[in-house]
Amino acid sequence: MIKFFNTLSGKSEEFKPLKDKGVSLYTCGPTVYDYAHIGNFRTFVFEDLLRRFLEFKGYKVNHVMNITDVDDKTIAGAVREKKSLKEYTEFYTKAFREDLKTLNILPPTKEPKATDEIPAMIELIEKLIKNNKAYIKDGSVYYRVTDFAGYGKLSKKKLDMNIAGASERVDVDEYDREQISDFALWKKAKEGEPSWDSPWGKGRPGWHIECSAMSMKYLGETFDIHAGGEDLIFPHHENEIAQSEGATGKPFVRYWLHSKHLLVDGKKMSKKDKNFYTLCDLLAIKDDEGKQKYDGVVIRFSLLFVHYRQQFNFTLQGLDAAKEALNRLRDFWLKMGLGYMKENNNVSSLELGTLVKVVREHFTAALADDLNTSEALGEMFAFIKLANKIAPEKISAEEYKEADAFLNETDNMLGIFSGFHFELSDEIKEIVKSREEARKNKKYDVADSLRNEARKKGYIIDDLREGARVKKLL
């Protein structure tokens, strides 16, 4: 049984999708006016874990993630840099996609851009006008919040708390509306701004209508899961519900999942406090030898350390700890690989096989309980500690393969072994074998030479009681 904490109900619920073997998932994508920061990527990594786990459990996930390439911020950025809106946003869209690859985040099934979906937004606004949920005023269209009885059911806010300025995406003075709580669905064109034709004149969509239109177009009027950061609960996701249900009269989303915002060095991120990190900033950090200190997988792993609904304090010291922990996992996987390369007797204590069976059950159960990564990783490290105490001669080749298969399963769920999989070329295998022979014959100068040769090819050979351990350089 899979359980998720549903923001809408305020409690943990058993997950039952609309279709037996299919899951419809919408995640709010980036507004491409700048590079995404580490706080954004905590949410994107959590959403990737959600998708990976559902796929591991046998569901086919139809994952839609939008690209917001028209709003106040993108327009202001394009004007500032004297570029067309398309040229400006395509640069940051490309950068975002590269960041996803670096963090080993799976691409969505569908990635609609807001500027390509204007007709769907206009059609949705027309439905809201027809249903008396929206009104036209001076070339703009507004949603009448007081006409939607369920407003506030996601955020648990009362209507009188929906004040202007509750979000930086809400215009306070520039548009005249009936009530200060109403929000724009369509904004009348201003001089010099990009605009599109509509039944109400030239203009552009409001931010909130974009996600409603795109999610329902590609996933249906009711779908399974909508995920995002907690900062989007109000007013964005609240307004999405009002728009969508006001147009269709049907429940919009069945499960709402939100990740908690991230702190950096115990504070809210800000450029003023010099604790604002993009992915490029972190990848540019060097170690004492002048080499890249952290890669994308280490950063991803650090973001998975803490449960997605718990406060996470991101620090460089935490990245160091994540790197060390990830190396422990990687070393263990390499050890398992080297183990089943050996000509092993099939005599076994069955200890490793038993451990794998237990940890597989506990690991999967932890993730099934609202994606509890903290508990799942705790199970993993407890397993490694116990497995490392088993004498190598008591482990059969079959058990080594079983442990390797389990580690493959965890990678399918967590996506943390990218580039670390036990895949030694025949050339490296031959170097390891020749070096072992040299050490047995006490030809230590030859052994040292072979170790240096392996290092030049990107591998470190360590000598352990049970034999050589090969590590791939970061």
Side-chain angles (χ1 to χ4, degrees):
M1 182 174 67
I2 300 174
K3 297 178 72 175
F4 295 131
F5 184 87
N6 189 349
T7 308
L8 185 62
S9 66
K11 60 184 180 181
S12 183
E13 297 177 359
E14 181 181 356
F15 177 64
K16 294 181 179 179
L18 290 165
K19 297 179 180 178
D20 286 343
K21 292 297 180 181
V23 174
S24 45
L25 167 66
Y26 186 85
T27 62
C28 284
T31 300
V32 284
Y33 71 98
D34 202 345
Y35 295 103
H37 55 67
I38 194 64
N40 302 137
F41 286 118
R42 186 194 190 191
T43 298
F44 292 124
V45 166
F46 137 66
E47 292 164 345
D48 187 58
L49 170 67
L50 169 64
R51 173 183 167 177
R52 285 172 177 270
F53 183 67
L54 289 170
E55 289 180 341
F56 171 77
K57 296 295 285 184
Y59 293 106
K60 183 177 180 180
V61 180
N62 185 10
H63 176 200
V64 177
M65 180 182 71
N66 70 297
I67 298 289
T68 297
D69 59 348
V70 56
D71 79 326
D72 295 341
K73 289 183 175 182
T74 53
I75 291 171
V79 170
R80 184 177 63 250
E81 296 193 11
K82 298 180 180 179
K83 296 178 179 178
S84 69
L85 182 64
K86 183 176 181 180
E87 181 185 9
Y88 180 77
T89 57
E90 282 190 347
F91 174 84
Y92 289 111
T93 300
K94 182 179 178 181
F96 174 73
R97 288 173 179 154
E98 288 300 316
D99 285 347
L100 293 188
K101 289 180 184 178
T102 300
L103 291 171
N104 198 23
I105 293 174
L106 300 173
T109 312
K110 183 72 178 177
E111 188 187 73
K113 290 184 178 180
T115 52
D116 292 335
E117 306 294 341
I118 302 293
M121 298 170 201
I122 290 174
E123 183 180 348
L124 181 55
I125 295 170
E126 288 179 318
K127 287 182 181 178
L128 289 168
I129 294 172
K130 183 179 178 181
N131 291 351
N132 294 317
K133 292 290 189 291
Y135 58 92
I136 307 164
K137 196 162 187 179
D138 191 26
S140 293
V141 184
Y142 299 95
Y143 189 95
R144 188 179 287 113
V145 171
T146 53
D147 283 357
F148 183 69
Y151 197 86
K153 61 183 176 181
L154 181 71
S155 63
K156 313 301 184 285
K157 290 182 181 291
K158 295 181 180 179
L159 182 58
D160 58 8
M161 295 178 70
N162 183 24
I163 58 172
S167 166
E168 60 187 10
R169 304 294 184 96
V170 178
D171 292 320
V172 181
D173 300 316
E174 296 180 11
Y175 295 94
D176 183 23
R177 66 198 83 178
E178 290 180 358
Q179 297 288 333
I180 202 167
S181 59
D182 296 346
F183 58 89
L185 302 172
W186 186 263
K187 297 183 177 184
K188 180 180 178 180
K190 296 179 184 177
E191 187 176 349
E193 283 189 350
S195 62
W196 288 261
D197 291 327
S198 80
W200 320 287
K202 284 189 171 292
R204 58 185 173 91
W207 176 47
H208 308 299
I209 199 70
E210 295 180 1
C211 283
S212 286
M214 289 185 278
S215 61
M216 289 197 293
K217 177 178 177 179
Y218 293 105
L219 296 176
E221 293 177 340
T222 301
F223 57 91
D224 291 313
I225 304 174
H226 195 317
E230 66 173 353
D231 57 310
L232 297 179
I233 295 174
F234 183 83
H236 184 50
H237 289 165
E238 195 72 71
N239 290 351
E240 278 190 62
I241 292 173
Q243 294 163 158
S244 305
E245 297 185 1
T248 69
K250 302 175 183 178
F252 177 40
V253 175
R254 301 175 69 241
Y255 300 88
W256 288 87
L257 276 63
H258 293 96
S259 60
K260 199 164 184 64
H261 71 274
L262 174 147
L263 300 177
V264 177
D265 295 326
K267 299 178 181 178
K268 185 177 179 180
M269 259 195 309
S270 74
K271 293 180 179 179
K272 179 182 177 182
D273 289 334
K274 297 182 180 180
N275 68 343
F276 186 95
Y277 293 116
T278 65
L279 190 58
C280 289
D281 293 333
L282 296 172
L283 296 175
I285 296 173
K286 306 294 183 183
D287 61 17
D288 293 338
E289 296 179 359
K291 297 178 182 178
Q292 184 185 39
K293 191 171 185 180
Y294 311 112
D295 68 7
V297 180
V298 169
I299 296 167
R300 176 190 176 91
F301 189 52
S302 73
L303 295 174
L304 288 170
F305 254 37
V306 178
H307 188 274
Y308 76 94
R309 286 194 299 109
Q310 293 180 346
Q311 187 77 71
F312 177 39
N313 184 30
F314 181 86
T315 66
L316 295 183
Q317 292 79 8
L319 265 186
D320 291 335
K323 183 176 180 178
E324 183 179 345
L326 187 58
N327 280 337
R328 286 178 60 199
L329 291 173
R330 182 196 62 181
D331 289 348
F332 182 75
W333 196 348
L334 288 169
K335 178 182 175 182
M336 292 300 103
L338 283 169
Y340 74 72
M341 268 171 48
K342 296 177 181 178
E343 295 179 3
N344 241 314
N345 293 325
N346 285 323
V347 178
S348 170
S349 67
L350 299 180
E351 286 182 79
L352 185 61
T354 301
L355 281 176
V356 170
K357 182 179 179 180
V358 171
V359 72
R360 178 184 278 120
E361 181 181 334
H362 290 181
F363 183 92
T364 307
L367 290 184
D369 184 13
D370 198 26
L371 304 175
N372 193 335
T373 50
S374 300
E375 185 174 329
L377 289 171
E379 293 287 346
M380 173 68 76
F381 285 111
F383 161 67
I384 290 173
K385 185 176 181 180
L386 292 172
N388 278 328
K389 292 180 179 180
I390 302 173
E393 61 270 16
K394 291 186 177 182
I395 301 174
S396 69
E398 194 61 36
E399 286 179 303
Y400 275 120
K401 289 181 181 179
E402 191 174 349
D404 183 71
F406 166 64
L407 291 166
N408 265 302
E409 290 176 10
T410 63
D411 190 36
N412 289 337
M413 289 180 262
L414 300 181
I416 57 173
F417 290 125
S418 177
F420 293 158
H421 192 292
F422 180 74
E423 291 177 355
L424 296 183
S425 66
D426 290 339
E427 182 183 20
I428 295 297
K429 290 177 184 178
E430 188 59 38
I431 289 174
V432 174
K433 183 178 179 180
S434 298
R435 185 173 177 278
E436 286 293 285
E437 288 295 322
R439 290 182 70 243
K440 286 179 182 178
N441 296 323
K442 298 184 179 181
K443 294 181 180 179
Y444 300 117
D445 54 340
V446 175
D448 289 343
S449 177
L450 289 167
R451 173 186 272 169
N452 290 336
E453 185 178 346
R455 188 177 183 88
K456 289 177 182 177
K457 296 181 182 297
Y459 294 85
I460 298 174
I461 303 176
D462 290 332
D463 298 317
L464 303 177
R465 178 175 60 85
E466 59 268 26
R469 178 180 65 179
V470 184
K471 295 192 293 186
K472 191 174 182 180
L473 288 166
L474 285 176

